[in-house]
Amino acid sequence: MRGSEFADLRAFATIVAQGNFARAATQLHVSPSALSQTIRALEARLGVRLLNRTTRSVSVTDAGSRLYARLKPVMEELEAAVADVNDLRERPAGTLRLTSSRVGAERFLAPILGRFHQAYPDIILDITVDDVVHDIVAEGYDAGIRLGEMISDDMVAIKLGGSLRQVAVAAPGYLARHGMPQHPRDLLDHTCINWRWAETGRIYHWEFQEPDGDWFSVAVKGPIIVTDKSLVLAAALQGVGIALWLEDRVVPYVEEGSLVTLLEEWAGSFPGFFLCYPKQRHTPLPLRVFTDFIRATYGS
């Protein structure tokens, strides 16, 4: 088999695995148009259609399914063989694609960037920072930092730090005008600062914990809805209304008197951040040294 034929088959297998031309093109470091041309050439050479594609979707034909079923274990074995050879390098090298929330990146990535680069100068960290819960496998990431409640069972998870609490806070001026809520459901009569999930557009319902341990949520309302949580705190400091945010983030403002904590008896703790990555037969060396570095730094 010529090298170009192998590359074409790898391109086909990647499209099927990713379920999307754009994601496959990103993983293969080519343009979607070039990848489409590659598949057309492969189909012409084989004399069968492998993929049905429209402007919005890709599906696999019967012939494509049969080909992929035979190719998948072969490709996995070849990738494992190459990874085994790469492990023999004296200095780990390659690109590690990471996804993280803003808070996770600030807490757990920003402090280690310099030391990790000094220890592994040939590893490139390609980091996407936003509050979207990305599909690590489908979008071609190697690992991600996210809250424990957002990690699926097919992931390896490394604990980063302790549990977290969200507390309601408001500026003294707001409370002087509107009074202090005594129960989370009193928030329905208050002005609150909302946060919207970026990937779904759904407004987050504030979560609280009963004394008996049961969790419940309150759909608050107010004049501001944001997707960047830093604006939630800014609006609260300016007296717009009540905000719900991570306890350690509001402590400095509470201590200086610019914010007051509310409803603390209903502020339950929940699992904090984890570094997670897909379970796999062979963990690539760059990911392995990165996870070891994380464990050594944060004690998990």
Side-chain angles (χ1 to χ4, degrees):
M1 178 182 294
R2 296 193 300 269
S4 60
E5 293 174 330
F6 174 78
D8 292 351
L9 290 171
R10 179 170 177 263
F12 163 72
T14 303
I15 293 168
V16 177
Q18 295 295 325
N20 180 285
F21 265 82
R23 289 196 294 264
T26 298
Q27 184 171 330
L28 294 168
H29 304 291
V30 299
S31 68
S33 59
L35 185 56
S36 182
Q37 186 175 353
T38 295
I39 296 303
R40 284 196 297 269
L42 176 61
E43 290 174 330
R45 189 163 63 250
L46 296 177
V48 294
R49 178 177 288 277
L50 301 173
L51 300 172
N52 292 317
R53 45 200 181 275
T54 68
T55 56
R56 294 189 176 183
S57 64
V58 176
S59 61
V60 187
T61 66
D62 180 60
S65 295
R66 294 174 63 180
L67 177 60
Y68 180 69
R70 300 289 295 273
L71 281 177
K72 186 173 184 290
V74 175
M75 293 295 180
E76 289 176 347
E77 188 60 35
L78 286 172
E79 289 175 0
V82 171
D84 284 340
V85 173
N86 285 337
D87 285 357
L88 299 176
R89 292 177 176 175
E90 292 184 3
R91 289 168 37 140
T95 298
L96 196 61
R97 295 191 68 225
L98 306 174
T99 171
S100 176
S101 67
R102 289 180 174 88
V103 174
E106 181 181 323
R107 290 188 178 196
F108 304 109
L109 292 180
I112 68 166
L113 294 178
R115 289 189 293 111
F116 185 81
H117 173 67
Q118 187 174 18
Y120 302 103
D122 296 326
I123 294 180
I124 299 171
L125 295 181
D126 183 346
I127 306 170
T128 299
V129 179
D130 56 33
D131 289 319
V132 174
V133 182
H134 291 279
D135 186 322
I136 291 175
V137 175
E139 297 182 45
Y141 291 102
D142 295 294
I145 292 178
R146 60 182 50 168
L147 292 173
E149 62 199 56
M150 299 177 181
I151 299 175
S152 58
D153 293 337
D154 59 350
M155 290 280 171
V156 178
I158 300 172
K159 189 80 170 74
L160 304 175
S163 298
L164 301 174
R165 287 205 321 163
Q166 290 190 120
V167 295
V169 292
Y174 172 87
L175 296 174
R177 296 190 304 271
H178 301 282
M180 185 176 294
Q182 300 302 310
H183 187 280
R185 292 192 177 88
D186 294 342
L187 294 169
L188 296 174
D189 298 320
H190 279 265
T191 300
C192 297
I193 303 151
N194 266 308
W195 177 75
R196 185 190 302 278
W197 292 97
E199 68 269 33
T200 65
R202 182 176 61 84
I203 294 176
Y204 171 68
H205 291 177
W206 293 13
E207 296 172 283
F208 298 94
Q209 190 173 30
E210 297 276 12
D212 63 5
D214 289 338
W215 286 84
F216 66 99
S217 61
V218 180
V220 301
K221 296 181 180 180
I224 296 178
I225 303 170
V226 303
T227 57
D228 187 332
K229 293 178 182 176
S230 64
L231 293 177
V232 169
L233 196 56
L237 286 165
Q238 295 171 44
V240 173
I242 299 174
L244 187 71
W245 195 212
L246 294 174
E247 183 177 34
D248 62 343
R249 290 304 182 93
V250 304
V251 165
Y253 302 101
V254 173
E255 290 179 345
E256 70 182 23
S258 55
L259 288 177
V260 177
T261 55
L262 315 169
L263 308 171
E264 284 198 78
E265 59 268 44
W266 283 278
S269 61
F270 57 93
F273 287 97
F274 292 76
L275 174 71
C276 60
Y277 58 94
K279 294 178 182 178
Q280 49 200 311
R281 184 174 59 177
H282 187 284
T283 303
L285 183 57
L287 178 57
R288 194 157 72 243
V289 299
F290 182 76
T291 57
D292 288 346
F293 193 93
I294 288 290
R295 283 192 175 97
T297 301
Y298 296 109
S300 292

